[in-house]
């Protein structure tokens, strides 16, 4: 597939406004030629392959965010602008719109059900859209907005446990969904910051959903897995059971709490505590050498002093234990711990603490691994830190939405049309640049 020379490719960009840093990732979308043939898939609505490659990353420290919420608009706009400039410079492209991640303690979720009569005695894509709309028809407080309606499974007449009902015969279609809502003011503030930085918001995406898209495989999702994005301010959780999102939750503790403990415990400034934690920290004090010493900066001009590394880890250990137990309690509340065939994936910057995975396996009693954003192509080395999982996941989410957009155009055009006109639709999507 060759592109017309000089033509701008189709871009997708993700903006993650985190508690400690603002990140923008830019990706280019390209089609895989073989799948332009609609006959290549059993289901032409989802048949074509588009892939996204990372081409740019920009990141700036954020001071205007607390636990995922904007508390200083000007500082946040400035950080977004800085991250944007850096990402645009690296990629060589200019962006005008972004998918924005939203997370933090204001996120709430619940389950709901919907039921409709199947129009033509055979389930089609528009029946799926209608039944999801029906499940969405629940009272949500005026100060909250629905962020996602995530279908869990479908039931056609008496047959339940169906994940893809398209093409099935029946008269009644039911679905159970997981609905995620966010505080309106939190959303409005994030949108305002992005727009004031000159970026149109294409949509808001739950932070841990984006992180999960970037760091767990389809197989893990099907077997059941909980993804925990351990950020600066909060640990944002999401559980997949049989491939669908079954639960989301937020634990209001993050890496910044570890840093504060170190600053207090070792009587050192925050910036130095942060550095020491990253370089020498370990969640299990017994894992470090008894005699190893590290240098700690003093406060108020006092001289640096040497301490045992073990003493640092003894400050960190109780916080790590508490955080993992809070996550464990949340898993128990959801009653899904026995459905996690693939265990738990820890991602986000704070999961990089040495010894945390080992402690996690001990606390959760299921397999635990560290999740890096590896489900994408392009400049993978640039984004392979767990701290970039959310921003990378936004590109995957954006790509999936673009695929859906193409499919919906196809649904509107009718089934036959899909077969004859698929290549043209993809071509139009790329502005004729193929
Ligand atoms: N090597 C490391 N060891 C321990 N902690 C680390 C390490 N590297 C980064 N962190 C911690 O990770 C946290 C930042 O993670 P991340 O970048 O995912 O947060 P964020 O997205 O800004 O915050 P949030 O998602 O909560 O809004 C910081 O508290 C930082 O101290
Ligand atoms: Mg984050």
């Amino acid at each position: 597939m060759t592109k017309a020379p000089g033509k701008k490719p189709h871009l997708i960009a993700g903006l993650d406004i985190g508690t400690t840093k603002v990140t923008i990732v830019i990706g280019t979308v390209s089609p895989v030629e073989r799948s332009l043939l609609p006959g290549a898939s059993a289901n032409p609505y989802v048949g074509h392959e588009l892939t996204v490659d990372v081409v740019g990353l920009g990141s700036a420290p954020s001071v205007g965010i607390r636990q995922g919420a904007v508390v200083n608009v000007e500082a946040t706009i400035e950080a977004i602008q800085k991250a944007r400039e850096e990402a645009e410079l690296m990629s060589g492209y200019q962006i005008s719109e972004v998918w924005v991640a939203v997370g933090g303690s204001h996120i709430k979720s619940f389950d709901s059900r919907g039921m409709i009569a199947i129009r033509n005695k055979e389930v089609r894509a528009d029946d799926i859209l209608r039944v999801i709309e029906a499940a969405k028809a629940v009272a949500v407080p005026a100060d909250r907005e629905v962020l996602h309606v995530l279908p869990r499974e479908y039931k056609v007449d008496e047959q339940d446990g169906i994940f893809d009902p398209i093409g099935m015969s029946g008269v009644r279609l039911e679905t159970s969904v997981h609905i995620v809502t966010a505080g309106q003011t939190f959303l409005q503030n994030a949108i305002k910051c992005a727009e004031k930085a000159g970026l149109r918001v294409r949509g808001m995406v739950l932070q841990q959903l984006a992180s999960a898209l970037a760091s767990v495989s389809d197989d893990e999702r099907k077997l059941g897995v909980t993804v925990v994005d351990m950020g600066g301010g909060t640990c944002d959780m999401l559980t997949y059971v049989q491939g669908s999102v079954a639960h989301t939750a937020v634990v209001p503790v993050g890496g910044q709490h570890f840093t504060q403990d170190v600053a207090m415990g070792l009587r050192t400034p925050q910036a130095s505590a942060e550095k020491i934690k990253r370089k020498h920290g370990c969640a299990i004090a017994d894992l470090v050498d008894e005699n190893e010493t590290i240098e700690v900066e003093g406060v108020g001009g006092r001289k640096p002093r040497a301490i045992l590394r073990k003493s640092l880890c003894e400050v960190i250990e109780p916080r790590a234990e508490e955080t993992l137990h809070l996550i464990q309690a949340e898993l128990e509340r959801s009653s899904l711990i026995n459905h996690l065939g693939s265990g738990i994936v820890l991602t986000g910057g704070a999961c990089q603490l040495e010894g945390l995975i080992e402690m996690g396996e001990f606390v959760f009693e299921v397999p635990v691994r560290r999740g890096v954003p590896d489900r994408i192509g392009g400049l993978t080395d640039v984004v392979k830190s767990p701290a970039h999982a959310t921003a990378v996941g936004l590109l995957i989410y954006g790509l999936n939405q673009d695929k859906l957009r193409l499919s919906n155009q196809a649904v509107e055009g009718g089934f036959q049309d899909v077969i004859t006109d698929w290549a043209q639709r993809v071509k139009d999507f790329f502005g004729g640049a193929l």
Side-chain angles (χ1 to χ4, degrees):
M1 187 69 37
T2 49
K3 292 189 185 85
K7 197 118 191 177
K8 186 178 170 185
H10 182 72
L11 298 175
I12 297 184
L15 165 62
D16 175 20
I17 308 175
T19 307
T20 64
K21 48 112 184 64
V22 170
T23 305
I24 290 186
V25 175
I26 304 176
T28 54
V29 180
S30 38
V32 177
E33 192 170 348
R34 64 186 155 75
S35 56
L36 287 177
L37 297 169
S41 163
N43 181 351
Y45 293 116
V46 290
H48 61 292
E49 274 284 339
L50 296 173
T51 58
V52 60
D53 291 327
V54 171
V55 290
L57 166 84
S59 195
S62 59
V63 285
I65 311 291
R66 200 171 303 142
Q67 297 211 323
V70 177
V71 290
N72 182 334
V73 173
E74 286 308 316
T76 306
I77 296 170
E78 213 175 287
I80 296 174
Q81 278 163 340
K82 261 195 211 149
R84 177 188 182 174
E85 274 164 30
E86 208 179 294
E88 288 186 336
L89 195 69
M90 186 189 288
S91 68
Y93 298 118
Q94 290 205 325
I95 52 167
S96 54
E97 50 182 31
V98 281
W99 291 92
V100 180
V102 52
S105 306
H106 62 101
I107 300 289
K108 302 258 181 307
S109 59
F110 56 91
D111 294 325
S112 174
R113 297 186 70 82
M115 188 179 79
I116 56 152
I118 300 167
R119 269 203 188 124
N120 297 309
K121 306 274 179 286
E122 182 182 303
V123 180
R124 294 174 54 129
D126 61 327
D127 293 313
I128 305 275
L129 296 179
R130 283 196 303 123
V131 77
I132 291 173
E133 270 309 307
K136 219 170 132 179
V138 283
V140 173
D143 60 346
R144 304 194 66 77
E145 236 166 79
V146 173
L147 204 57
H148 297 288
V149 181
L150 304 162
R152 287 190 63 182
E153 61 169 28
Y154 299 92
K155 185 173 169 189
V156 177
D157 297 342
E158 294 312 312
Q159 193 180 340
D160 56 12
I162 303 166
F163 296 102
D164 185 4
I166 286 184
M168 288 186 70
S169 298
V171 290
R172 194 179 69 238
L173 177 66
E174 289 175 58
T175 187
S176 56
V177 298
H178 189 67
I179 297 183
V180 181
T181 67
Q184 216 171 45
T185 42
F186 295 93
L187 293 182
Q188 277 164 358
N189 281 330
I191 293 172
K192 187 198 274 177
C193 291
E195 286 179 348
K196 287 209 164 164
L199 295 165
R200 196 179 76 81
V201 175
R202 279 201 65 187
M204 309 291 284
V205 184
L206 182 68
Q207 148 165 313
Q208 58 268 50
L209 178 64
S211 301
L213 288 174
S215 55
V216 298
S217 68
D218 290 348
D219 285 341
E220 285 177 301
R221 269 185 266 261
K222 281 184 194 135
L223 274 172
V225 66
T226 291
V227 179
V228 186
D229 184 313
M230 305 184 76
T234 52
C235 287
D236 301 65
M237 303 166 59
L238 178 134
T239 300
Y240 285 101
V241 174
Q242 293 184 321
S244 314
V245 176
H247 185 71
T248 52
V250 180
V251 169
V253 182
Q256 282 184 338
H257 297 86
F258 288 70
T259 306
Q260 272 158 21
D261 290 350
V262 173
M264 295 282 283
L266 304 188
R267 281 173 277 113
T268 188
Q270 288 271 340
S272 134
E274 175 72 28
K275 256 192 255 161
I276 293 171
K277 177 189 81 171
R278 289 186 187 210
K279 198 162 170 211
H280 304 290
C282 181
I284 304 173
D286 280 347
L287 288 182
V288 306
D289 184 342
E290 292 277 339
N291 304 313
E292 188 180 345
T293 55
I294 54 171
E295 194 167 274
V296 178
E297 201 181 301
V299 257
R302 290 184 183 83
K303 278 197 193 137
R305 65 212 144 89
I307 63 153
L308 286 174
R309 182 180 171 208
K310 200 173 168 74
S311 311
L312 162 73
C313 302
E314 279 165 356
V315 172
I316 292 175
E317 188 173 296
R319 179 64 84 173
E321 242 173 324
E322 184 210 20
T323 309
L324 296 180
H325 277 118
L326 286 171
I327 294 169
Q328 164 80 354
E330 196 47 63
L331 283 173
E332 273 167 13
R333 235 194 313 276
S334 73
S335 320
L336 295 173
I337 190 118
N338 294 326
H339 294 80
L340 306 181
S342 297
I344 295 174
V345 173
L346 302 182
T347 189
C351 87
Q352 295 171 97
L353 181 70
E354 199 186 313
L356 199 65
I357 302 297
E358 292 79 356
M359 185 184 257
E361 296 214 310
F362 181 75
V363 171
F364 304 132
E365 294 179 337
V366 295
V368 181
R369 73 168 177 89
R370 197 167 272 131
V372 289
D374 54 5
R375 318 214 42 82
I376 201 158
L379 303 175
T380 44
D381 276 359
V382 173
V383 291
K384 76 175 173 203
S385 160
H388 298 318
T390 306
V392 170
L394 288 172
L395 300 192
I396 300 172
Y397 185 90
L399 179 77
N400 290 342
Q401 293 302 307
D402 282 341
K403 284 185 188 174
L404 257 179
R405 189 150 62 93
L406 277 168
S407 314
N408 288 341
Q409 282 172 13
V411 173
E412 282 157 21
F415 200 88
Q416 267 310 311
D417 217 17
V418 180
I419 307 293
T420 53
D421 206 20
W422 194 262
Q424 187 58 44
R425 285 176 203 285
V426 176
K427 195 170 173 177
D428 292 346
F429 175 74
F430 283 90
L434 303 174

